Structure formats: structure tokens, C-alpha cells
Amino acid sequence: MKYARFITTISLLFAFVQAQACVPPYYSPSEYYLFHFVDLLDYAPGNFNLYGNENCLLWQQQTSTSIPLEDIYHLVYKSDLKQLTELKSGRLLEEVKENQMAQWLVDHNDQEAIDFLILAKNCEWLRRESLSPWYYPSKEDPVRYSLNDIAEVAKQKSAGRFADRYALQAIRAMTSLQQYEDIIGFWDKTEGRIPEGFLRQMMQSYVAGAYARLDNLEEAKRYFISANDLNGLLECDQRYNGNISRVERMELLYESYPDCPAFRLKLWEILGHIEPDRQWNDEDSWYWNWDKEKAEINQLAALCDKVLEGDSRADKALWAYAATYIAHLQGDDNKAHRYLKTAEKNVKDPNLADVIKVMRMYIDAQICTYDKTYEQKLFTQLRWLQGMVETHIDDEVIASTSSLYELQINCSYYYWNDAMRCILLGTVCPKMIKAGKTTLALQLANMSGYTLLNEINQIDVDMWSPMDIAKYGDRTSFTLEQYRHSGLFNSYDYSSCLAEMMDTLSANALMTYVQIVEKPQTPFQRFLNAHSYNDLDFLNEMVGTHCLREMRYADAERYLSKVSTEYFLCTNVYKEGYLNRDPFSLGLRQWSHGVEAKYRFAKTMNQLEREIAATADPNRKALLMLDFGIGLRNSFDYCWALTQYRQGAGYFYDLDAHNTNCVQEAMDRAERLFEEAFASFTDNEYAAQAQLLFSNYKTVKEQYPETVAAERVRGRCDKFTDYHAEKKRFAYLGEYN
Amino acid sequence: METTINPKDEFTKHHKKSTSSAAMKPHHLLFIALLMLATAGCSPTAKNEPNKRAEHVPANGIYYWKTIFDLNETERNFLKEHHVKRLYLRLFDVVPAEKNVKNDFNFEAVPNATIAFRSAIPDDVEVVPVVYITIDALRLMSHSNEDYAGLIAERVMHIADFHELGDIREVQLDCDWTQQTQDAYFALCQAVKDKLRLHGIQLSCTIRLWQMSSDCPPVDRGVLMLYNTGNITNPKTQNSILDLNDVKAYLNGKPYYLPLDFAYPTFSWYVWFHDNTYRGLFHDQPDTSLIEEGDTVRQEQVEFSDLQSLDSLVRMKLSADNASIILYHLDSANLSNYSTDEIRQIYHHD
């Protein structure tokens, strides 16, 4: 019994997993991050530590290029003092046994490297602990040296493979000891032998800090600039200017160093912080007071204007780019357009030029009239953006995309593709639909959802067995084609932005779209098709289903007849068993047509509709009408999978009304059919049989007492009630109660 | 190691809208959670049992509340003469402090006024480290109770270890929690208690009189503070340190489901008012250079007879026979207001 309960529980869980695949996206496409600097992508999560990466690379050069960076990272940053100390005696503790850097150091008896790592780890520990307000010395502290010891030892190591690393440790130890004059003295003697690179920059930052603490502001600033350490520089300014705002600090910096390269990061920090919530940045916001952010944005806008009108050394393209986005945030896209022109005119840095091009696409999408001229412009812009999507794919993008999850929830993870989806799905598609250009909107939605996925052509699935928990998380990679035919629940094609949009449009709109997919007329259409998902089985099935939804059974039959049986087998509604329900039953009967259920249903309904029109005999006609009515009602109810893919909502909420109308119209028509059919019978036997079918026992007994049906009812029941199955949404009543 | 604090980290960690939980799909999380729930009942114990639970033996106690531990001869003699076996030693306060970052709203709870040691702990005296937590710090800690509990417990242990405070069997938290902060405080107590249990150490906390009408905090025992009963800022208050009528109002015979010891006041101070408005306290003699004409200074001190009455009341209402009496606080000047015999009468254990 326990086992049976376990199976039941796990089965329910499994079902839940499947149902989760239909959850709507967490974010709207308009929430993608758009304001960006491409050369700052290194700061994004994943590349969590720029210096760290450079440091690992340097370690690789100083040891062996065969050691993976990941192992270097783990040994240098994550190991503890004990593990490193054991290396000195040639022992590999369990935690680092598999670490290739640890192995290499032991194999090569690299005492020089190990000694340095131990000293640096001691220094790190002492600095971290002494910096924490919660620190209190303990007899159990692993470190037996003082920072003074470390500084002295490190200062002596003026030659050798790790001389510059020791110099950094000496400076760090002295910084913690607040020996600022000693730092400067040491730096003056050492500077000449420290090569350019991240270690030198880090040292310069500390030297700048030492100068700042000794109140030598000018020297401090000079070193902060050399170290490209804007935060230090601003901190320095704040020290002398009190608690001023971020923008005011930038303004001070601009006055001294109008061409400071670190402005990029600062602008990105301020605008990027506000950006994801930009669509909520309105007066009606119910959960957040934006006054502070708005004030900062206004302040930044004024600074942008000041810079654009001021010193010619400033990077005007950069500031105009920021001003463009700020104007957009403030709701003035025409002003944004003017700033953007300035940015385009002044841009020299190719990376900045690229993000300005993205911003151009975005602003054009906001301000342009959606006519042929804009379409042509969009075509040109999209060709370029698609190229950027294609050329910047890396392992991280492949990993994120192939898991589908980030793509499905509209999470920012790959700037070029994010930008495409933000612009197309967030702005262009809804506007195209409003302009009556549904075909183009569908093509654009298709490209937004599939161009990257097609390029990567990989879907990773965490396979797990409900019977074998240990196998949880085994990852299997499929190509798109393999995935669609794998028998697994297809969690993308019916939840994509394309499916979402198709779901909300009419069958006519879809038919026109399929024609263009089959026979594109223009280069733009051909381009869009080339980067989309164009499986005609998928499209025809979609059109056929929409026809069923709109009660266009002849069209439905025509489109569904084009869909291969193999494709029907791959649809989720079939795999989940929703098509095994008999739409012409008032009970819960199984239907044997399964895989071709939609087509059979369309064909039967089409036939019934034609026969109703052609039949003169009122009793036969009434029976046909009842059959048709039952099929119609069930196809939107218990057998919903014949006309729907899911219940729910998505991006295009305002268009979901179409779907709702279809349901209502079908229900109204079924009700009219039932009423008309009951009224049409001229033969009491037929009428009584029909009432019996709908479990109206009282009517059968009282209105048709002489019929065979009445006799059956009287023989089986002792309580006569009308159950009115014809009026109930869920046809769960049996033929006899 | 060459760890660099990337100035962008603070920002970039928000850059991706997916959080770490996004890496694991919600249904996976649910599955794991359900499995954990399903298997939770199968484990032999839900939590680590303490290595060895210390037993709380009733004993004479006294608080030490200064920032420098420096006992004079009189105080050492006091401890010896009155068989004071338990010293409740305030180690540090926890207060809010602005973090060393540029963000306006970055505050954290930090230790403050950590005790410095100039004297060794007398032999045969058990030290109960006490940590005072301000209400503002409590609010700050409420989002990271586990982390702060670890920091508090670890710091107490380090101080005890470093200064050889002896075998620590009990740690005490002191906080003037209110109904609004009760949940936060109880959660912190629970987290600290869990950390200390691993070392076989009990957690106690101070209980204000009014707090007796609330739920009991999740600690091993409490010390009922039978002082500061009145409103110190009210010029009409007779004696804010102790007013027996105030105490009676709270000791209404309702049971309190936490083993209690009792802290009696043996301190005095001067309360300064200007225009009938509270201006401050003088712990020693009032500073005449500050006092203006028309100001009033109220001397507050607890007479021995009041302490006797308090003791009788406590014994009658709270069955204090097996409890410890703790005096607040060890200060030779204040204690000189009482004779040796009076102190002996107050303490229950010879």
C-alpha cells in the first residue's frame, strides 16, 4: 500500500512537471535590458570577476597552459590555508585531489608558487577578518603571522617569478595596517619593475588610496585614473565634497576629467538599475515610489546636456546615447531621436556604434509610422542585428539557450538576442498588429523566438525517472528536430512567442501567414522565413485548430488533412491523452481516433453540417443537429484540446478577446441548436429518445408517455427528474442515472 | 589571495533577471521540497543535539556592565564574601552602523563597545557572557537571523576563548524588544540558541516586566529584570528604578512558562530635568556646570527595605526559592550603599 501511495505521489509530481511547461513568461519582452555597453559585458554574471579572470590567465602562464582555468580559480580563490600548506609537503588533501593545478604544483614541486599562495592566503585571511566589524582574535585562528610580518616578507621578494605578485601583497598588507607613507615609499622604489597589466593597476589603486588618505588629492586622482578606478576616484571626490549624489560626483569628475573612460560604467550603473522596471515608471505605480529615481534621472539628463554642450574632449557619442535613453524614459521619443542623431554623428568607438544602432532600432520602432518605408528600414536593421546575434554566440549563450528556460521567461541573458526580442516583441509586433499587418507581426514574432534557437540547434533536457531519483538531473542534448520527435513534452513550440501570438489571432490571419511562409513575395519575407520555424505540419495544424475554434469545419478538414500522422503524434495534446475523449458523447467515453482526432472531428462536423443543410426530414434533421451540437459544445469543453492548446494568457492580452469570443459564440450556437432540434421533432418516439439522451426523464415520462423510451424510463426509475444535460457545460452525466 | 572586489558586482548581480533559483526550475524545487518533507520524518533527529547540556545550578549572581573589566579590591572582595558564583558580563552591544559603501541605505548591525580586559576573571566564578542588542539593530538583523546569530555566537566564543573566561555554559541576550519586534527577536533567539546548542551552551535572555504578558522567547531560561519599572522621563515619577506598585501590577499570579532568575537593582543615579523635560542622567554626582537655575535633579536609589519588599513579593508571586538572585551591577560605589548583611539577606545562596 505504501508503495502504491508513493507511485501515486510521484505520478502526480510528474504530471505537475509537465503542467509547469505551460506557465506564462515571468517577464514581458519589453523588460529586457536594452541600454548597454558591449565592452562591459565582461562584468556580467558568469564573468563575475574581470581581475579574477586575468589573474587566472596569468597563473596559467606562470604554471602550465594545460591547467584548466577553472581549476586555477578554485585553488587560488577557494582553497583554504590548510590545503595549501599540505601542498608544501607534497600532500593533496581530499578537497583538492582532483584539482589539476594542485596536482601540477605537487608534481613539479613548485615551492616558489606554493610559498606565494600561502603568503597571499594568510594576507587575505588577516585582511578580511580585520576588516570585519565582527572580527575578534581567537586562539583558533589559522594564521600565525601578523600583517606586519607579511608586509616585510613580501617587500623583500623583489626578484623572481612572482615579484610583482609579492609587491601587491605587500601593498595590500600595508593598506590594512594604514601605513600609507610606507606604501608610497615602497611604490616609488618598485614602480619601475612592475609591468603594465592588471596587477600594476591594482597596485595603483592602493597607491591612490594611500595618497587620498594622506590628503594628497591630486596624486590620488592621478593614480585612480591610471588604475581606471572610477569608484576610487569618486570616493576621493566625495571625501572632499561631502555626501553628494552620484550624479553630482560624476559632474565633479567631468569638470576635471571630461574624457575619463570610466563614465561608461557609471552611466550604465545608474540607467541599468532603473531600466528593467521602465514600463512601471509611471504615476500610477502602486508598489514603488519612483520619486528618487526620477530625480536622479532628471539630474543625469541635465548633466548629459551640459556635457553635450561643453568640453570637446568628452565622449559626446556616449553621453548622447545616455541622453537618448533618458529622454525615452522620460516619455519623449522625439527628443530621444534628436539625441540619437548626435550620438550617431559623433560615435567613433565601434562597440559603442553597435549599441547605438540597437538604440536606433528601438527608437525608430517607437516613433516611425508603420508603413512600407519603415518596413524597408526594419529589414535593413534586422539583417544587421541578426548577424550580431549569430556572431556573438558563445558557450554560455548556448548553455542558457538550450535549457530554454531563460528564453521562455524572457530573462535577459544574451544582449543581441535580448535586444531583438525587446524591440520586436515588446514594441514592433503589437504595433504591427494594430496597424493591421498581422502577417508581418507573425513573421517577426517567429524570428524573435527561433533565430537564436535555430542557430544553436540544441535543446538540453534534464532527464529524470520518477522511479529512480538518483538519475535526477541527467542532462541530454537534442537537436530541435530530435527534440520535437523525442516523445518528450514539447515545452517550447506551443509556448513560444509565435504560438502565443498565433493563439490570439483569427484563422484568416493565420491562413494568410501560412501562404506567405509557403510563397514569400519579398526579400524581407524571405529573410524572415529563413530565420524562423516553418514546419508546414506545425502551421497547418495551427490553422486547422483555429478553424475548429471558429467553427469553420470545411476549412479545418482541408488544413488538418495536410498534417502528417507523424506530426500529430508529436503534439502535446495527443501525448498527454487529451485527444482520447469522444466529442460526440455526453458521457466520458474514450475515442479511438486518438492521433487523428482533430482531423476526424473536423471531417465529422463538416459532414454533419452538410447533412443538416441537405436533410428535409425534420426528425432526422433534429437528430443531426443534436449530434452536431454535442460535438460543438464538447470541443470547447471536456474535449477542449480539439480547439485549444491551453488555457491562459500571455503578452498580447488585449487580443485574447478573440479566443474568448470564439468560445462564447460556439456555446451560444450549441444552445440554439439544442432548442431548435427539440422543437423540430414531429415524431414522439424520436423526440422521447432525444430527451432520454439528455437525461430528461421527467419530460420523457410526462410529455411522451406512450413511447418506448417512456416505458424504459418507467421500468428503471422511480424518481423522475430532468437533468438537462443539454444545458450543462460539463457533460459528465451518464445516459441513465 | 588576490581577491578583488569588483566595483560592478553590486550592480551586475542584479543584471540578470534570473536569480539563482531560476537555474533550477520551480517544479524541480517543488519536487525536492516535497521529497524532503516526505523524508523528514524518517531521520532519527531533526537537529543536532547539544554535545553536553550544561545544567543551571542556582547561585548568587551579579551583572558587570562597564566597557572595561577592571575589578578593584572591594569588588573582588564582594564576589568572594557573598559567594557570587555567576558573573553576567556584558561583552559587547549590537548596534546599527552605516556600511562602508556609497549606497544611502546600506546599514548593517555591528558590535560596539566591546569590553576590554584589564583584570583576570576571579577563580570560581562562572562567566555568563551578555550581548546587548538595540532595537534598531534587531530590525536590521531580522532579514539575516541565521547569519547574525552565527556572528554573535562566534564572537562571544572568540572573546571567551581569547581572554580565558572559563567554561562558558550560558550566554545571555539583552534586548528591550517590543510587540512589533517580538517576532524578529524570537527568531534571532532561536537561531542563536541553535548555534550555541552545538557547543552545549544554554541561551538565556533578559525579561522586562511588561514582557511577561507576552509569549516566552525561545530560550532556555530568563532573567526577570526587576528594575527600571517607572518612566524615567516623567518628572512626576518618584523612582524610576523601582516602584513596588509597578512591579505588583505585573506580577499578577499568571504563570510564566520559562524558568526565571531575578535581577535586583543595587544602582543609583541622578535624573536631570530642565523645564520639566528630561535632559539626561548622571551616574555619579550631577555636573553642576551643566545644570541651570530652575532645573531639577531627582536622585534615584533603591533602599534596602524596598529590596526586601521586592524579594518578598517575588518569592510570593513567582516561587523564587530555587531561582538565582542577580544584582545589577558590580560597582563598588553603588554597592557601598548596602551593608554586607543587607546584601547577604538579599542573596538566597550562601
Side-chain angles (χ1 to χ4, degrees):
Chain A
M1 188 59 190
K2 277 182 184 172
Y3 188 67
R5 272 190 204 152
F6 176 72
I7 298 286
T8 311
T9 310
I10 293 297
S11 305
L12 285 171
L13 282 172
F14 193 71
F16 178 74
V17 168
Q18 303 290 27
Q20 277 295 301
C22 294
V23 294
Y26 289 177
Y27 306 104
S28 155
S30 60
E31 286 179 79
Y32 278 114
Y33 284 85
L34 197 70
F35 182 81
H36 215 81
F37 296 110
V38 173
D39 52 350
L40 289 180
L41 287 175
D42 280 339
Y43 294 105
N47 301 331
F48 50 88
N49 191 328
L50 186 63
Y51 286 153
N53 281 345
E54 287 193 40
N55 190 24
C56 292
L57 284 167
L58 183 61
W59 270 111
Q60 204 176 37
Q61 287 168 26
Q62 290 174 329
T63 51
S64 165
T65 49
S66 66
I67 305 173
L69 285 170
E70 194 182 345
D71 283 18
I72 292 174
Y73 171 78
H74 278 102
L75 193 78
V76 172
Y77 289 95
K78 299 292 182 187
S79 61
D80 63 27
L81 199 53
K82 195 174 171 198
Q83 290 159 8
L84 292 174
T85 311
E86 289 296 314
L87 291 183
K88 199 160 169 54
S89 332
R91 281 191 295 274
L92 289 165
L93 291 185
E94 194 59 37
E95 297 85 345
V96 294
K97 216 163 218 168
E98 303 296 320
N99 186 292
Q100 290 187 41
M101 181 170 181
Q103 285 167 1
W104 191 93
L105 292 174
V106 168
D107 291 348
H108 292 78
N109 192 25
D110 192 343
Q111 294 291 328
E112 198 182 356
I114 296 170
D115 282 344
F116 170 75
L117 286 168
I118 291 172
L119 177 129
K121 188 62 79 175
N122 271 292
C123 185
E124 177 208 0
W125 194 92
L126 282 166
R127 277 168 49 79
R128 188 187 63 228
E129 292 300 307
S130 61
L131 284 173
S132 164
W134 288 90
Y135 173 72
Y136 202 89
S138 158
K139 287 179 178 170
E140 289 177 6
D141 286 354
V143 170
R144 287 284 170 269
Y145 307 101
S146 70
L147 280 168
N148 263 324
D149 298 337
I150 287 169
E152 285 313 307
V153 170
K155 278 197 278 187
Q156 301 307 315
K157 303 271 187 182
S158 56
R161 193 157 132 233
F162 299 115
D164 43 354
R165 287 188 181 277
Y166 274 111
L168 175 61
Q169 295 304 326
I171 289 175
R172 298 179 86 188
M174 285 188 282
T175 302
S176 294
L177 292 165
Q178 304 180 4
Q179 296 170 348
Y180 304 122
E181 283 173 353
D182 292 349
I183 292 172
I184 291 163
F186 176 70
W187 176 250
D188 287 344
K189 279 192 283 178
T190 318
E191 183 185 7
R193 66 170 169 84
I194 306 292
E196 287 299 328
F198 79 98
L199 286 174
R200 185 183 174 91
Q201 278 199 333
M202 288 174 79
M203 285 183 237
Q204 284 173 323
S205 255
Y206 285 109
V207 172
Y211 272 118
R213 280 167 181 85
L214 293 171
D215 285 345
N216 189 340
L217 183 61
E218 284 313 308
E219 276 301 287
K221 282 185 169 181
R222 192 171 72 80
Y223 273 102
F224 276 130
I225 296 271
S226 303
N228 203 12
D229 183 349
L230 179 61
N231 280 313
L233 194 57
L234 295 179
E235 192 75 30
C236 198
D237 269 329
Q238 187 184 13
R239 198 173 147 83
Y240 290 89
N241 293 291
N243 193 17
I244 56 176
S245 74
R246 291 195 290 186
V247 178
E248 283 167 334
R249 274 184 264 162
M250 286 174 75
E251 193 166 354
L252 277 174
L253 181 64
Y254 163 72
E255 280 159 10
S256 311
Y257 305 96
D259 53 349
C260 177
F263 276 127
R264 287 187 175 207
L265 177 63
K266 226 58 210 168
L267 287 166
W268 190 47
E269 278 182 6
I270 294 177
L271 291 175
H273 177 67
I274 288 169
E275 184 177 11
D277 302 310
R278 60 186 177 270
Q279 83 274 24
W280 291 319
N281 189 7
D282 57 43
E283 298 301 329
D284 299 328
S285 177
W286 54 271
Y287 73 98
W288 190 253
N289 183 355
W290 284 98
D291 290 348
K292 189 167 174 250
E293 282 77 6
K294 280 181 182 172
E296 189 170 41
I297 286 295
N298 291 338
Q299 217 180 359
L300 189 56
L303 178 58
C304 287
D305 283 338
K306 181 177 174 179
V307 176
L308 290 172
E309 289 161 13
D311 199 307
S312 59
R313 284 174 296 163
D315 185 348
K316 298 215 169 169
L318 169 76
W319 288 92
Y321 173 57
T324 304
Y325 197 68
I326 292 169
H328 170 66
L329 286 176
Q330 290 171 327
D332 190 344
D333 285 324
N334 289 318
K335 192 174 170 188
H337 170 66
R338 289 196 294 277
Y339 281 125
L340 195 52
K341 279 168 88 173
T342 307
E344 288 164 336
K345 196 174 125 195
N346 287 286
V347 68
K348 292 184 187 78
D349 173 357
N351 285 333
L352 187 57
D354 286 340
V355 295
I356 287 173
K357 274 187 182 177
V358 170
M359 189 59 77
R360 164 55 65 200
M361 282 184 74
Y362 184 63
I363 297 298
D364 281 351
Q366 310 294 332
I367 60 173
C368 284
T369 307
Y370 279 51
D371 55 13
K372 288 283 172 201
T373 312
Y374 175 61
E375 283 177 28
Q376 196 51 45
K377 191 177 206 177
L378 182 61
F379 178 25
T380 310
Q381 291 173 332
L382 262 184
R383 262 198 307 215
W384 170 79
L385 186 55
Q386 201 284 326
M388 300 306 269
V389 170
E390 206 174 301
T391 50
H392 288 86
I393 294 170
D394 58 20
D395 288 347
E396 200 183 339
V397 172
I398 292 172
S400 294
T401 308
S402 56
S403 79
L404 292 178
Y405 186 62
E406 284 161 311
L407 199 58
Q408 281 177 312
I409 66 166
N410 295 330
C411 170
S412 292
Y413 72 97
Y414 176 38
Y415 171 68
W416 302 107
N417 197 56
D418 296 347
M420 182 186 283
R421 287 169 67 87
C422 177
I423 294 165
L424 295 184
L425 296 172
T427 304
V428 178
C429 287
K431 285 194 171 190
M432 285 287 181
I433 289 170
K434 274 185 189 157
K437 296 170 186 287
T438 48
T439 300
L440 185 51
L442 281 164
Q443 284 191 290
L444 293 168
N446 196 334
M447 182 176 175
S448 310
Y450 285 96
T451 186
L452 178 61
L453 202 55
N454 287 348
E455 203 61 47
I456 288 170
N457 194 22
Q458 181 180 322
I459 290 179
D460 295 337
V461 179
D462 290 333
M463 307 294 284
W464 64 285
S465 160
M467 301 306 294
D468 187 356
I469 300 303
K471 281 188 178 171
Y472 171 80
D474 279 359
R475 185 158 286 196
T476 307
S477 294
F478 298 91
T479 64
L480 290 180
E481 207 49 31
Q482 285 169 345
Y483 177 70
R484 286 172 181 137
H485 293 90
S486 64
L488 294 167
F489 186 89
N490 184 337
S491 63
Y492 190 74
D493 289 333
Y494 291 95
S495 319
S496 70
C497 47
L498 172 68
E500 181 93 46
M501 189 187 282
M502 288 177 101
D503 206 35
T504 58
L505 295 173
S506 69
N508 278 342
L510 267 54
M511 286 173 186
T512 312
Y513 168 62
V514 174
Q515 281 169 16
I516 293 298
V517 169
E518 286 186 289
K519 288 181 187 162
Q521 307 290 313
T522 65
F524 191 18
Q525 288 170 347
R526 278 190 284 279
F527 166 77
L528 291 171
N529 283 353
H531 299 286
S532 296
Y533 174 43
N534 297 324
D535 182 346
L536 285 174
D537 272 341
F538 167 75
L539 295 174
N540 286 325
E541 201 273 350
M542 274 272 186
V543 179
T545 303
H546 274 66
C547 288
L548 289 178
R549 196 182 294 174
E550 291 177 19
M551 299 179 283
R552 295 166 58 173
Y553 297 107
D555 289 332
E557 187 183 343
R558 186 158 54 87
Y559 275 92
L560 291 170
S561 69
K562 297 179 193 173
V563 180
S564 67
T565 306
E566 193 192 11
Y567 181 79
F568 277 131
L569 279 167
C570 299
T571 57
N572 289 334
V573 283
Y574 170 71
K575 282 184 279 197
E576 296 289 297
Y578 293 116
L579 294 176
N580 290 332
R581 300 168 176 184
D582 183 355
F584 298 105
S585 161
L586 278 172
L588 298 173
R589 275 210 305 255
Q590 291 281 305
W591 211 30
S592 59
H593 295 296
V595 67
E596 290 187 328
K598 282 191 184 181
Y599 171 66
R600 290 283 173 183
F601 176 71
K603 192 178 167 78
T604 309
M605 291 295 276
N606 184 24
Q607 199 174 339
L608 281 170
E609 203 167 28
R610 281 192 277 116
E611 282 187 40
I612 290 166
T615 303
D617 174 4
N619 293 303
R620 176 170 159 67
K621 189 169 188 153
L623 287 173
L624 289 168
M625 286 163 76
L626 290 178
D627 273 352
F628 185 87
I630 292 168
L632 176 58
R633 196 185 59 187
N634 280 350
S635 68
F636 285 87
D637 190 29
Y638 175 58
C639 304
W640 58 266
L642 292 167
T643 57
Q644 319 282 328
Y645 294 99
R646 56 179 167 74
Q647 304 285 328
Y651 322 138
F652 306 101
Y653 296 102
D654 53 335
L655 296 172
D656 251 6
H658 173 71
N659 206 344
T660 313
N661 287 343
C662 287
V663 176
Q664 195 53 53
E665 279 175 25
M667 289 299 171
D668 291 348
R669 187 179 173 193
E671 198 177 324
R672 284 197 307 274
L673 280 165
F674 292 139
E675 281 174 15
E676 197 183 330
F678 284 130
S680 305
F681 284 112
T682 53
D683 183 315
N684 278 358
E685 281 296 346
Y686 279 118
Q689 285 295 341
Q691 293 291 354
L692 192 60
L693 184 66
F694 289 95
S695 306
N696 295 331
Y697 308 119
K698 192 176 174 187
T699 305
V700 172
K701 178 184 157 271
E702 290 180 357
Q703 291 189 19
Y704 309 104
E706 307 303 324
T707 59
V708 175
E711 195 175 327
R712 280 176 67 193
V713 167
R714 281 195 297 272
R716 297 192 184 205
C717 303
D718 53 7
K719 188 178 178 187
F720 303 103
T721 305
D722 283 348
Y723 290 95
H724 291 296
E726 77 281 6
K727 291 181 181 169
K728 290 188 167 57
R729 283 291 302 266
F730 294 93
Y732 290 143
L733 293 171
E735 288 183 17
Y736 297 99
N737 278 22
Chain B
M1 212 56 25
E2 289 153 8
T3 312
T4 54
I5 297 168
N6 190 332
K8 299 93 198 172
D9 283 354
E10 190 62 26
F11 171 71
T12 51
K13 70 184 177 187
H14 301 298
H15 177 62
K16 258 194 174 180
K17 280 180 266 184
S18 65
T19 60
S20 56
S21 65
M24 187 175 279
K25 299 184 183 184
H27 51 260
H28 294 174
L29 287 173
L30 180 80
F31 173 72
I32 290 166
L34 285 172
L35 274 184
M36 287 169 74
L37 276 176
T39 54
C42 305
S43 60
T45 50
K47 287 180 180 175
N48 287 331
E49 286 298 314
N51 299 334
K52 193 175 175 184
R53 296 298 297 277
E55 198 179 330
H56 184 89
V57 179
N60 294 340
I62 194 160
Y63 278 98
Y64 191 92
W65 212 256
K66 299 175 189 172
T67 51
I68 296 171
F69 186 77
D70 190 8
L71 297 185
N72 58 31
E73 203 52 38
T74 313
E75 288 159 349
R76 282 189 184 278
N77 285 339
F78 179 92
L79 297 177
K80 199 180 269 182
E81 193 172 3
H82 295 290
H83 308 286
V84 175
K85 297 292 178 198
R86 201 169 285 133
L87 182 67
Y88 290 81
L89 186 63
R90 190 204 62 90
L91 295 190
F92 56 90
D93 302 340
V94 182
V95 299
E98 195 168 0
K99 264 188 187 173
N100 187 22
V101 291
K102 293 172 284 297
N103 193 323
D104 295 350
F105 299 106
N106 256 314
F107 281 84
E108 61 182 340
V110 298
N112 185 45
T114 302
I115 192 167
F117 288 87
R118 285 193 193 149
S119 300
I121 300 293
D123 294 339
D124 300 330
V125 172
E126 176 197 343
V127 170
V128 176
V130 184
V131 177
Y132 173 67
I133 297 164
T134 67
I135 286 285
D136 289 335
L138 178 63
R139 290 196 182 99
L140 281 174
M141 290 191 283
S142 63
H143 299 296
S144 331
N145 279 318
E146 284 291 325
D147 293 343
Y148 278 110
L151 289 168
I152 290 170
E154 191 176 312
R155 197 163 197 269
V156 165
M157 301 306 289
H158 280 181
I159 295 175
D161 176 53
F162 200 82
H163 295 285
E164 298 176 343
L165 302 186
D167 187 16
I168 303 297
R169 298 176 197 165
E170 178 186 340
V171 169
Q172 189 170 97
L173 297 184
D174 178 32
C175 178
D176 193 2
W177 50 274
T178 59
Q179 276 183 331
Q180 283 76 35
T181 50
Q182 177 178 304
D183 288 348
Y185 185 58
F186 285 12
L188 180 72
C189 285
Q190 184 64 57
V192 174
K193 188 179 163 189
D194 291 344
K195 305 279 178 202
L196 293 174
R197 276 167 72 103
L198 300 172
H199 302 279
I201 296 172
Q202 291 198 339
L203 177 69
S204 64
C205 75
T206 52
I207 308 287
R208 270 73 174 166
L209 275 166
W210 74 264
Q211 290 166 344
M212 289 191 77
S213 56
S214 298
D215 293 338
C216 298
V219 294
D220 296 300
R221 56 189 307 110
V223 172
L224 182 63
M225 294 167 59
L226 290 150
Y227 48 89
N228 294 348
T229 58
N231 182 356
I232 195 170
T233 61
N234 186 345
K236 290 178 183 163
T237 301
Q238 296 276 321
N239 187 341
S240 69
I241 297 177
L242 180 67
D243 183 327
L244 286 170
N245 290 324
D246 291 337
V247 179
K248 279 176 197 161
Y250 287 108
L251 302 188
N252 50 15
K254 278 190 184 170
Y256 192 68
Y257 299 103
L258 189 68
L260 288 175
D261 294 319
F262 302 99
Y264 294 168
T266 52
F267 61 94
S268 60
W269 57 32
Y270 297 86
V271 190
W272 172 29
F273 292 91
H274 176 76
D275 283 344
N276 278 339
T277 306
Y278 172 79
R279 290 293 291 271
L281 275 177
F282 298 111
H283 286 280
D284 300 318
Q285 288 299 312
D287 184 346
T288 47
S289 66
L290 295 172
I291 296 168
E292 297 173 36
E293 200 176 327
D295 287 2
T296 53
V297 175
R298 183 174 72 213
Q299 185 184 4
E300 294 187 351
Q301 182 182 324
V302 183
E303 300 299 332
F304 171 65
S305 57
D306 288 336
L307 283 178
Q308 275 187 311
S309 305
L310 175 68
D311 193 48
S312 305
L313 185 66
V314 166
R315 283 165 191 271
M316 186 172 67
K317 296 282 186 181
L318 291 167
S319 61
D321 290 345
N322 231 357
S324 301
I325 298 300
I326 307 157
L327 300 185
Y328 184 90
H329 63 125
L330 183 55
D331 176 273
S332 51
N334 278 321
L335 289 168
S336 66
N337 293 324
Y338 307 94
S339 71
T340 305
D341 189 52
E342 286 170 344
I343 295 289
R344 193 169 287 136
Q345 287 184 53
I346 296 165
Y347 274 139
H348 295 188
H349 303 280
D350 291 328

